[in-house]
Amino acid sequence: MEKLDIVLYPDEGLREICAPVEQMNDRISNLIDEMFLTMYDAPGIGLAAPQVAVQERLLVVDVSETNDEPIALINPEIIQAKGEIVWEEGCLSLPGIYAKVKRPSDILVRGLDRDGKPIELEASDLLAVCIQHEIDHLDGKLFIDHLSGLKRNRALQKYRKLAQQPE
Ligand code: GNR
Ligand code: NI
């Protein structure tokens, strides 16, 4: 099992609409394992396949403090959403920038789990935020796209400055 490289903005792979996973197989289960490894190592609380250069609809999350609540979702779909929450988001593909994003606070998600078995999952607060952030990645969308033009430009300016002086 190998740690994967994380794709950074402005890689155009982050802007593609990912294709559904056609069938569960060893390639997909290995990919899920490597995505968890990569996410925990980063460290992050979520990771979507396009962030590791795979243009397919799958994601992993773990919002626990103790890294013991791994959730993998294949072909996820939000089937209900309600409420509202503002969370300061960050993204492993835009390291160093953070901004408040407003999203539904409670969602019902349908998809397949790591074994390819259909699941429905109720999520709220940070878990709901994180799953929505990851599903956005599968549709080529980044958290900065939720910001007003002015705030997005400020964030991107800061990101370009940070990128010029790594570490
Ligand atoms: O590690 C991450 N933290 C985070 C914080 C608030 C809202 C969303 C996230 S997801 C992010 C990892 C990531 O980039 N996933 O795509
Ligand atoms: Ni992200």
Side-chain angles (χ1 to χ4, degrees), residues 46-48 51 90-94 133-134 137 142-143:
L47 193 67
Q51 294 183 280
C91 183
L92 293 172
S93 296
L94 285 148
H133 175 117
E134 303 316 333
H137 277 299
L142 301 169
F143 80 97

Side-chain angles (χ1 to χ4, degrees), residues 20-145:
V21 172
E22 292 292 342
Q23 58 165 345
M24 264 318 286
N25 52 32
D26 287 355
R27 179 180 67 86
I28 299 293
S29 28
N30 281 325
L31 176 60
I32 289 171
D33 290 347
E34 295 191 322
M35 284 173 63
F36 276 119
L37 183 72
T38 306
M39 177 189 82
Y40 288 129
D41 180 79
I45 59 171
L47 193 67
Q51 294 183 280
V52 294
V54 175
Q55 309 310 133
E56 294 180 69
R57 304 189 75 81
L58 81 108
L59 63 88
V60 298
V61 299
D62 187 340
V63 299
S64 74
E65 304 265 297
T66 40
N67 288 356
D68 60 356
E69 289 169 33
I71 297 170
L73 282 172
I74 299 163
N75 301 338
E77 280 179 72
I78 294 173
I79 54 180
Q80 283 176 35
K82 62 175 202 232
E84 214 173 79
I85 191 170
V86 176
W87 205 283
E88 174 125 299
E89 299 196 17
C91 183
L92 293 172
S93 296
L94 285 148
I97 75 165
Y98 304 89
K100 286 180 185 166
V101 176
K102 192 197 288 180
R103 301 183 185 268
S105 57
D106 296 89
I107 58 171
L108 180 62
V109 194
R110 179 182 289 165
L112 304 175
D113 69 10
R114 196 188 175 288
D115 304 316
K117 201 176 77 205
I119 48 162
E120 272 185 21
L121 180 71
E122 275 185 327
S124 28
D125 306 317
L126 180 57
L127 181 58
V129 167
C130 190
I131 290 173
Q132 291 174 81
H133 175 117
E134 303 316 333
I135 292 177
D136 273 355
H137 277 299
L138 307 183
D139 291 319
K141 195 162 179 183
L142 301 169
F143 80 97
I144 50 169
D145 301 336

Side-chain angles (χ1 to χ4, degrees), residues 97 144 147 150-159:
I97 75 165
I144 50 169
L147 308 178
L150 184 64
K151 285 186 178 163
R152 181 167 60 243
N153 286 339
R154 284 209 193 112
L156 288 174
Q157 241 169 9
K158 180 176 174 202
Y159 179 73

